């Protein structure tokens, strides 16, 4: 009986409502297709998808927005006399110019990076050569100082552009390290300066060189050592040297390439 009752309810109440809803659904589906065709004539579906930010807006809201855009369009049209096509052509021209500039910038950037790498490589080589030259200068300086039993060290600060000399006296003396050449005697200072000059000469090339009064304030032993060192150095390097001194040069050893010329004493 319950089954019969509910079957009657289904037949008299439920099924008619379902059929009515299906008919309304079919009618709405048909009307939707017709409205879609009409809307596609005005605006395609792809354009609507591009305007996804207006989804859910009411016709009144869309109309108000369109009016605002028209007002802005009129204002901009009054400000600029060019047409949309002219502005678009100008925009394309500027865009092409910007693209060319970007490509030019990219090319310059590649060259600049190459130059930077080359500069970094040369800077590293310069620093390495600077350190090697400083060592070589100290070695040559010590070689010449060693003829009097003195040792020394040359410190070159390339950043501060400062060169300092440190000397250590012979073993039979106090073995004190002199960091200021003003603390040396006149002869010691002249001899150390001569050794430093010879060290520089040994690292450079020149067709001829000249030295004047290089042996001032020297004692006889230091003067002889200095003259012998200078002559041997000049003969070994093969360049032309001119030595000028007010002192006696008879102690200089004669040789094929050594020419001594002594001027007469001035009259009183």
């Amino acid at each position: 009986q319950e089954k019969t009752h509910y079957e009657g309810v289904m037949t008299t109440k439920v099924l008619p409502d379902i059929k009515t809803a299906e008919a309304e659904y079919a009618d709405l589906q048909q009307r939707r297709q017709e409205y879609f065709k009409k809307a596609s004539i005005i605006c395609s579906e792809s354009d609507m998808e591009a305007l996804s930010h207006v989804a859910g807006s009411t016709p009144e809201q869309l109309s108000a927005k369109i009016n605002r855009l028209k007002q802005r369009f009129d204002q901009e049209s009054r400000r600029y006399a060019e047409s949309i096509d002219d502005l678009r052509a100008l925009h394309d021209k500027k865009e092409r110019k910007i693209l060319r500039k970007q490509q030019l910038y990219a090319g310059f950037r590649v060259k600049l990076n190459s130059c930077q790498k080359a500069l970094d490589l040369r800077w590293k080589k310069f620093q390495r050569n600077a350190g090697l030259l400083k060592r070589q200068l100290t070695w040559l300086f010590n070689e010449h100082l060693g003829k009097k039993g003195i040792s020394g060290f040359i410190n070159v600060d390339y950043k501060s552009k400062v060169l300092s000399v440190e000397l250590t006296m012979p073993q039979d003396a106090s073995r004190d390290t002199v960091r200021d050449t003003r603390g040396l005697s006149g002869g010691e200072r002249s001899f150390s300066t001569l050794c430093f000059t010879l060290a520089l000469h040994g690292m450079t090339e020149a067709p001829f060189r000249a030295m004047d009064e290089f042996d001032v304030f020297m004692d006889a032993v230091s003067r002889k050592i200095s003259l012998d060192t200078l002559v041997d150095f000049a003969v070994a390097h093969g360049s032309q040297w001119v030595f000028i001194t007010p002192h006696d040069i008879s102690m200089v050893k004669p040789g094929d390439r050594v020419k001594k010329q002594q001027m007469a004493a001035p009259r009183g």
Side-chain angles (χ1 to χ4, degrees), residues 24 28 31 53 55 68 91 109 135 143 172:
E24 290 179 357
L28 291 173
R31 291 170 63 185
H53 60 280
R68 289 195 299 270
H91 171 268
R109 174 55 61 183
R135 295 179 189 176
E143 179 183 353
D172 55 351

Side-chain angles (χ1 to χ4, degrees), residues 165-184:
V165 179
E166 297 181 4
L167 297 178
T168 302
M169 295 298 105
Q171 294 182 359
D172 55 351
S174 61
R175 297 289 295 170
D176 292 336
T177 299
V178 180
R179 290 181 172 82
D180 189 351
T181 54
R182 289 176 296 183
L184 300 173

Side-chain angles (χ1 to χ4, degrees), residues 7 21 30 33 39 89 99 120 127 142 175 209 220 232 235 250-251 266:
E7 285 178 351
Q30 185 177 0
Q33 292 177 359
L99 181 60
D120 294 340
Q127 289 180 317
N142 268 310
R175 297 289 295 170
R209 312 172 195 235
D232 294 341
V235 172
S250 59
M251 64 185 71

